[in-house]
Amino acid sequence: MVSDERPSPEGPATFREVFAQSEYRAVFAANTLTWIGDYVAKAAVTLLVYRTTQSVALSAAAFAVSYLPWLIGGPLLATVAERHRYRQVMVICDVIRMSLMLLIAIPGIPVPVILALLFATTLANPPSQAARSALMPLILPGDRLVVGLSINASVGQAAQVVGYLLGAVVATVSPTAALLMNAAAFALSALLVRFGVRDRAPAMSTAHRSHLLRETADGFRIVFRTPVLRAIAVLVFSAMLFSIVPEGLAAAWANESAGGMNTGLAQAVIMASHPLGFILGGLLIARLVGPARRLALMRPLAVFAPLALVPSLLDPSPVMVALLAAVSGFAVAGMLPVANGLFVQALPDGFRARAFGVMATGVQVIQGAAVLVTGLLAERFPIPVVVGVWSIAGVLLMSIVALRWPDHRTVAASVEAARRAGADSAQGDAGGSEVPGSEQVGPGRPQHAVS
C-alpha cells in the first residue's frame, strides 16, 4: 500500500534513511549489477556479431534487439508481474537471463541464434522491471520513495557509462568473458533479491484476474483516464521527446561540427553529457531540496529542460553542446523522480506493474521516434537548426503541459483515492470477497475518484 504521507515543507529524506532499508539495499545492489551487466553484454554482443559477420547492419541489429520486447509487448509482459509475487518474478527473470547469457557465450554459435537468444533474454526485462517498480513504494514510504527513485535513476545513468566502457574493454579481449560477466551479474542479482527482499502476496489475486489482454488494457485505461496520471504521463513523455535528441544525433553532429576536436572525442563528450547532468541533478535536488519545493519546481524544470537546448541554434562547439545537454539532463533529473514518485502514489496497489509497462513502452517509443524524426530532418537542414527549433517546440509544449497541470486538491484527492482503493482491496482479499480488478478502472471511475 502506498503511504499516505504528504509532501511537506520539511527537509527531504536523506540517503542514510533510504539505505537504512535493508530491502532497498538488496534491490539497489541487484539492479546496479544487472544494469552494468546489461551494458557490458550489449557492447560484447555488438562486437561479437561484427567480428563474426563484418556487417554493420547485423551489429546494429544486435544492439537494437534489446528494445523490441518493449515495443512489441511491453505492457502485456509487465502485466504478468502483477499476477505473481514480485520477488518471485524478479528471481525467475534473473535466472532465465543468466541461463540464456551462458548459451550466447558458447563459442561458435551462429549469429541468427545469437540474435534469437538475445531477444529471448530481453523478454524477461519488462516483467522484471515492472515488478521492481511496483515493489519500490512498498519498501520506501513517503519522501524516501522520491529520494530512492532519484538514486536509482542517477545510478542507472552511471551504470550505462561504466557498462559501456567496461564492456568495450573486456569484449575487445574476449567477448565470451564479457558475456560470462553478465551471466554472473544476473546470478548474484537473483541471490540478493531472493534472500534480501521479503516475500509478498501478488498484487492481483486469483479473484481479480480476468484475461491477460483485458488486464493489460486496464493498465492503459487507468493511466489515460485518470486526470492526474494522464497529466504525469504527458509530462514524462514530453520530456523524453526533447531531451534525448542531442544524444541521438551526437555521431552526426560531431562529424559535421567537431570544431577542431577529434570527432570520436566530440561524439563521446556529447553522448556522455546528458547522463552526467542527470546524475548530478538527481542526486543534488533529491538531497538538498525539500519535498514541497521539489513539487513546486517540477513544472518550471520541465519547461527549462528543452529551453536549455534552444541555444543550439547558434551552432555552438561540441563542448558547448555538451554543456547545454548536461543542463537539460540536470533539469530532467530534478523533475522526473518527483513525477515518478507522484505517479506511483496515485496508483492503486494492483495496477503499478501494468502502469509501469505502459509508461516504459511509451518512453521507449517516444525516444526512438524523436531520434528518427530529427534524424530525417537533419538530412535536409543543419543539425543545430533542427535541434534548436525542435527545442523551441518543446518549450511551447511543456508550457502548455505545465499550465494544464491539475491543481493541488485534485492531486491530493487522487493519491487518497489510490490509498483507499488499496485498503479496500486488501480488506476484500482478507474477507474472501471478489473485487474484480477491471471494475476499478471502468469508464468514469478514475475521474469520479478524483473529482
Side-chain angles (χ1 to χ4, degrees), residues 30-113:
N31 288 340
T32 303
L33 281 170
T34 55
W35 279 331
I36 294 175
D38 271 342
Y39 290 119
V40 167
K42 278 187 180 182
V45 170
T46 303
L47 180 59
L48 180 62
V49 170
Y50 181 75
R51 283 182 175 178
T52 304
T53 65
Q54 297 296 307
S55 169
V56 176
L58 286 174
S59 179
F63 181 88
V65 73
S66 62
Y67 294 96
L68 286 179
W70 286 111
L71 303 181
I72 295 173
L76 192 69
L77 292 168
T79 300
V80 174
E82 211 88 79
R83 291 180 161 207
H84 303 281
R85 298 173 183 272
Y86 294 144
R87 187 182 74 176
Q88 180 186 46
V89 171
M90 296 167 69
V91 171
I92 290 176
C93 287
D94 280 344
V95 171
I96 290 173
R97 291 184 289 188
M98 176 199 71
S99 303
L100 293 174
M101 274 295 156
L102 289 174
L103 291 177
I104 295 173
I106 296 174
I109 191 169
V111 169
V113 177

Side-chain angles (χ1 to χ4, degrees), residues 5-377:
E5 292 184 33
R6 296 287 185 272
S8 71
E10 299 175 359
T14 65
F15 295 150
R16 181 188 296 274
E17 291 172 340
V18 171
F19 281 104
Q21 304 287 331
S22 61
E23 287 188 282
Y24 176 76
R25 293 197 302 271
V27 173
F28 173 81
N31 288 340
T32 303
L33 281 170
T34 55
W35 279 331
I36 294 175
D38 271 342
Y39 290 119
V40 167
K42 278 187 180 182
V45 170
T46 303
L47 180 59
L48 180 62
V49 170
Y50 181 75
R51 283 182 175 178
T52 304
T53 65
Q54 297 296 307
S55 169
V56 176
L58 286 174
S59 179
F63 181 88
V65 73
S66 62
Y67 294 96
L68 286 179
W70 286 111
L71 303 181
I72 295 173
L76 192 69
L77 292 168
T79 300
V80 174
E82 211 88 79
R83 291 180 161 207
H84 303 281
R85 298 173 183 272
Y86 294 144
R87 187 182 74 176
Q88 180 186 46
V89 171
M90 296 167 69
V91 171
I92 290 176
C93 287
D94 280 344
V95 171
I96 290 173
R97 291 184 289 188
M98 176 199 71
S99 303
L100 293 174
M101 274 295 156
L102 289 174
L103 291 177
I104 295 173
I106 296 174
I109 191 169
V111 169
V113 177
I114 291 177
L115 295 179
L117 289 173
L118 190 63
F119 177 75
T121 302
T122 56
L123 284 174
N125 289 348
S128 176
Q129 294 180 27
R132 182 198 68 205
S133 177
L135 184 63
M136 285 292 290
L138 303 179
I139 295 174
L140 298 175
D143 191 53
R144 294 178 188 178
L145 174 63
V146 177
V147 176
L149 291 173
S150 296
I151 295 171
N152 287 352
S154 298
V155 172
Q157 296 288 327
Q160 180 177 352
V161 177
V162 172
Y164 280 149
L165 290 176
L166 183 60
V169 172
V170 176
T172 301
V173 178
S174 172
T176 299
L179 294 171
L180 291 176
M181 285 176 57
N182 193 28
F186 285 128
L188 288 173
S189 173
L191 291 172
L192 285 167
V193 173
R194 173 59 182 82
F195 296 104
V197 175
R198 183 164 61 86
D199 199 19
R200 292 172 172 85
M204 184 190 301
S205 68
T206 303
H208 290 171
R209 294 184 186 179
S210 54
H211 185 281
L212 192 61
L213 289 175
R214 183 178 180 183
E215 292 164 9
T216 303
D218 288 342
F220 280 92
R221 280 197 290 269
I222 197 169
V223 170
F224 292 109
R225 289 187 178 180
T226 305
V228 171
L229 297 180
R230 183 173 63 242
I232 297 171
V234 171
L235 184 75
V236 172
F237 292 160
S238 299
M240 297 300 101
L241 186 63
F242 300 98
S243 62
I244 190 65
V245 171
E247 186 176 344
L249 301 183
W253 205 340
N255 278 275
E256 291 184 11
S257 305
M261 183 184 293
N262 176 274
T263 54
L265 178 60
Q267 177 183 344
V269 166
I270 294 173
M271 292 190 75
S273 58
H274 185 275
L276 291 175
F278 192 102
I279 293 169
L280 187 63
L283 295 179
L284 288 181
I285 292 178
R287 181 62 190 91
L288 301 178
V289 180
R293 180 59 59 86
R294 271 194 243 118
L295 278 173
L297 287 175
M298 185 169 62
R299 284 178 287 172
L301 287 173
V303 176
F304 187 72
L307 181 63
L309 298 173
V310 171
S312 300
L313 281 168
L314 303 177
D315 192 15
S317 67
V319 173
M320 285 304 300
V321 171
L323 180 61
L324 296 177
V327 173
S328 177
F330 188 101
V332 172
M335 173 270 297
L336 200 58
V338 181
N340 287 343
L342 187 59
F343 188 85
V344 297
Q345 289 184 41
L347 276 170
D349 285 355
F351 295 94
R352 291 190 188 127
R354 282 176 280 179
F356 172 84
V358 172
M359 295 296 292
T361 300
V363 167
Q364 296 285 342
V365 171
I366 283 171
Q367 286 185 322
V371 173
L372 177 62
V373 171
T374 53
L376 291 173
L377 290 173

